[in-house]
Amino acid sequence: MPNILSIKDFTLDEIFSIFKLTDQLKKKSEPSLLKGKILANCFFEPSTRTRLSFEVAMLKLGGQVTNFVDLKSTSSSKGESLRDTLKIIGSYVDVIVLRHPKEGASKLAQEISPVPIINAGDGSNQHPTQTLLDLYTIHEAQKKLEGLHVALSGDLKYGRTVHSFAYIAHLFNMRLYFISPLGLEMPDPVLKELRNQKVKFSIHQELEEILPRLDVLYMTRVQKERFGKASFKEETEKSIIVTRDLLKGAKKSLQILHPLPRNEEIHPSVDETPFASYFQQAQNGLYVREALLASVLGAKT
Amino acid sequence: MTTQTRPVNAIECGTVIDHIQTGQGLKVIQLLNGSDQSQQMTLGLNFKSEAYTRKDLIKIEERVLTYEEASYIAILSPHVTVSIIRDYQIARKFKPKAPDFVRGTFSCSNPNCITKTEDILHAFYVSSLYEQTKLTCKYCEKTFSQQSILLKYDPIS
């Protein structure tokens, strides 16, 4: 794949070929696969896991990494356009990982950069590498993706991880359930697209009523930094907190995923249950990103 | 004996844009640079129409629209009919089809789109279904209807 910009660009074959490469890299490390290659981590927004996992993935494959994480230290604080910034960085390195607060930034980056672009989150639009690692984590545990019942819960309005996940559900004929605080519902354009794709979905207020049907419960944090508290009903946030008690009615094979960081939506006591897949998910992020870097740089294992 | 009157005058030479979806007439004028005061235009709103109940209509004197210009109008109003007039007669009549991709004419309505802060031409993939057109921003992937899409300041001509 030349770039990783949108989850909508992926075919089934491409997804499974990334999974296959991830399996290989998870079993056996390839410390010189990307020797001599340099990655630029360009994060115009804060990140811990995504940035670090790309960095470690590159280092594990024998490549090198350059970073900027503090916008004050870059020329964008001097009013330089993203176009100019990326054009120059693209002439220094072999691949760019980009996170930017504006939606569509990675598509623009791809137009001007001479080297591959990996979208590590653009505003509230998409986070395609997160979706690939989510799918990999589900497939690894459940050995299938076809026909699974998946609930997307939390901040469905601004959460780019849930948008990316919803956009790919049609490829696997998944049944979706949406649960969010009032005011943070899945945006209409996403729902319209799902209807066009003939994806079955329903909208709920309480987790309890749908929990027994679920194969995957995908929790997300309410991103209060993206909006004021006034834009949603805070008291309704409390009805979508996962506790150990709530999980009594769940399928044994239920997986709880979370892109992390979490706040209060998953009680820490859930961490010790077999349902908790979020740490495994974060760990898989490393291997999936190794596979994606190898793929965009055309490296052969 | 009844007297038949036309709601707008016939033109000697120019273009008649008929069957414009009601409510889109002003936007079409804007698209065609209606603020250019050297062009004589007539805009009719909410005319009775046999095919669509109501319609808007525009007559432009001494300007012959190209098919490309007309195809942009078809984005705003998919069923539009364009007649080229010479000597008060219809010299050519056609139903333009909206292009699949358009760059520079429309503007993304998403305030958080990268096109709002970077100096680049806005671009959209266009798809039509019945009377609805959908414009999907090439960059932020948000989709807009022909009613909600914004026009760029610069007209197409």
Side-chain angles (χ1 to χ4, degrees):
Chain A
M1 293 209 71
N3 298 282
I4 314 288
L5 304 176
S6 166
I7 197 70
K8 294 177 190 172
D9 298 337
F10 279 86
T11 62
L12 269 182
D13 282 351
E14 284 166 341
I15 291 172
F16 283 110
S17 115
I18 293 291
F19 287 1
K20 200 176 154 196
L21 188 53
T22 306
D23 284 339
Q24 284 176 27
L25 293 166
K26 201 170 173 178
K27 275 188 200 127
K28 183 174 171 283
S29 64
E30 294 270 1
S32 51
L33 193 66
L34 298 181
K35 201 170 176 186
K37 303 283 185 191
I38 301 175
L39 157 78
N41 254 337
C42 301
F43 279 68
F44 291 82
E45 262 192 344
S47 163
T48 310
R49 268 154 300 277
T50 307
R51 186 175 58 79
L52 269 178
S53 64
F54 268 112
E55 183 163 351
V56 175
M58 192 67 181
L59 295 174
K60 277 187 71 190
L61 296 174
Q64 290 169 292
V65 183
T66 182
N67 271 295
F68 70 76
V69 289
D70 178 10
L71 281 186
K72 285 177 197 149
S73 67
T74 71
S75 287
S76 63
S77 65
K78 299 176 193 167
E80 187 179 45
S81 70
L82 180 68
R83 281 156 64 91
D84 286 359
T85 307
L86 292 180
K87 200 162 191 156
I88 306 301
I89 296 174
S91 69
Y92 295 161
V93 301
D94 299 289
V95 56
I96 292 173
V97 174
L98 176 69
R99 172 170 291 185
H100 198 274
K102 291 284 178 186
E103 288 140 30
S106 58
K107 288 257 170 103
L108 170 67
Q110 175 258 323
E111 284 184 355
I112 50 168
S113 163
V115 298
I117 297 287
I118 298 178
N119 179 6
D122 58 333
S124 58
N125 185 36
Q126 283 214 27
H127 195 350
T129 68
Q130 176 73 44
T131 304
L132 291 167
L133 75 91
D134 297 340
L135 292 172
Y136 179 82
T137 306
I138 299 168
H139 188 258
E140 188 182 42
Q142 314 217 14
K143 306 296 175 212
K144 65 167 189 174
L145 293 168
E146 186 68 24
L148 294 181
H149 285 233
V150 180
L152 301 177
S153 172
D155 179 359
L156 304 184
K157 185 175 180 183
Y158 296 96
R160 55 193 164 206
T161 61
V162 285
H163 297 163
S164 280
F165 197 101
Y167 286 137
I168 204 75
H170 72 105
L171 275 189
F172 306 104
N173 201 21
M174 287 174 174
R175 166 69 164 92
L176 298 181
Y177 303 82
F178 300 137
I179 312 127
S180 62
L182 287 176
L184 296 178
E185 291 86 358
M186 193 60 99
D188 275 343
V190 181
L191 297 182
K192 266 187 197 162
E193 187 153 342
L194 295 179
R195 280 188 202 105
N196 288 342
Q197 294 169 337
K198 310 256 184 287
V199 173
K200 284 188 182 164
F201 66 85
S202 49
I203 295 161
H204 304 265
Q205 301 292 328
E206 305 269 340
L207 263 177
E208 208 167 354
E209 65 188 64
I210 53 160
L211 199 79
R213 283 181 266 169
L214 300 180
D215 299 300
V216 176
L217 171 57
Y218 195 112
M219 299 295 294
T220 59
R221 178 178 68 93
V222 172
Q223 302 185 66
K224 288 170 187 152
E225 72 276 15
R226 289 197 188 271
F227 49 85
K229 275 187 176 180
S231 47
F232 78 105
K233 287 200 171 180
E234 218 169 346
E235 61 275 18
T236 58
E237 190 185 352
K238 296 193 170 50
S239 65
I240 46 174
I241 290 176
V242 182
T243 58
R244 236 183 147 114
D245 273 357
L246 188 84
L247 291 166
K248 279 175 186 159
K251 279 187 191 176
K252 275 189 178 164
S253 58
L254 171 77
Q255 279 181 288
I256 302 174
L257 298 184
H258 194 304
L260 304 177
R262 70 170 149 177
N263 289 346
E264 289 148 10
E265 58 276 2
I266 302 178
H267 191 271
S269 66
V270 177
D271 297 359
E272 308 306 323
T273 69
F275 306 115
S277 290
Y278 29 93
F279 296 121
Q280 183 62 35
Q281 179 190 7
Q283 198 188 343
N284 280 339
L286 175 63
Y287 302 112
V288 170
R289 285 172 178 134
E290 278 186 51
L292 290 171
L293 286 169
S295 171
V296 296
L297 289 169
K300 297 270 181 272
T301 51
Chain B
M1 192 176 138
T2 56
T3 310
Q4 284 199 338
T5 54
R6 287 173 182 272
V8 286
N9 287 334
I11 57 172
E12 184 183 350
C13 172
T15 308
V16 175
I17 309 161
D18 200 358
H19 302 124
I20 301 170
Q21 205 170 62
T22 47
Q24 293 293 85
L26 280 167
K27 229 171 184 174
V28 174
I29 291 267
Q30 201 187 338
L31 181 80
L32 296 170
N33 197 10
S35 59
D36 175 355
Q37 294 181 351
S38 66
Q39 281 181 51
Q40 190 164 314
M41 288 188 174
T42 310
L43 166 65
L45 298 176
N46 307 321
F47 282 15
K48 281 185 181 162
S49 160
E50 281 180 22
Y52 306 108
T53 320
R54 295 275 172 186
K55 65 179 183 181
D56 292 351
L57 179 142
I58 294 167
K59 294 189 176 190
I60 315 166
E61 301 206 29
E62 292 174 1
R63 177 174 169 190
V64 174
L65 286 192
T66 63
Y67 187 87
E68 194 191 354
E69 287 172 320
S71 72
Y72 289 110
I73 300 172
I75 294 174
L76 294 175
S77 180
H79 289 298
V80 76
T81 310
V82 175
S83 301
I84 307 300
I85 310 292
R86 290 200 177 94
D87 292 330
Y88 296 103
Q89 301 295 316
I90 296 174
R92 195 157 67 94
K93 190 171 184 174
F94 59 95
K95 280 186 168 290
K97 200 175 164 290
D100 297 332
F101 182 74
V102 58
R103 190 181 271 278
T105 309
F106 299 96
S107 176
C108 186
S109 310
N110 172 11
N112 204 34
C113 179
I114 188 72
T115 55
K116 298 289 176 192
T117 47
E118 294 281 318
D119 186 19
I120 45 171
L121 285 177
H122 297 214
F124 295 87
Y125 299 105
V126 184
S127 59
S128 299
L129 187 66
Y130 304 108
E131 291 191 17
Q132 280 299 315
T133 311
K134 283 181 184 164
L135 295 105
T136 305
C137 175
K138 183 187 178 218
Y139 297 98
C140 73
E141 304 181 88
K142 298 276 183 294
T143 299
F144 307 96
S145 67
Q146 74 260 41
Q147 287 87 4
S148 65
I149 193 73
L150 300 173
L151 283 164
K152 189 175 169 282
Y153 280 115
D154 295 336
I156 56 174
S157 60

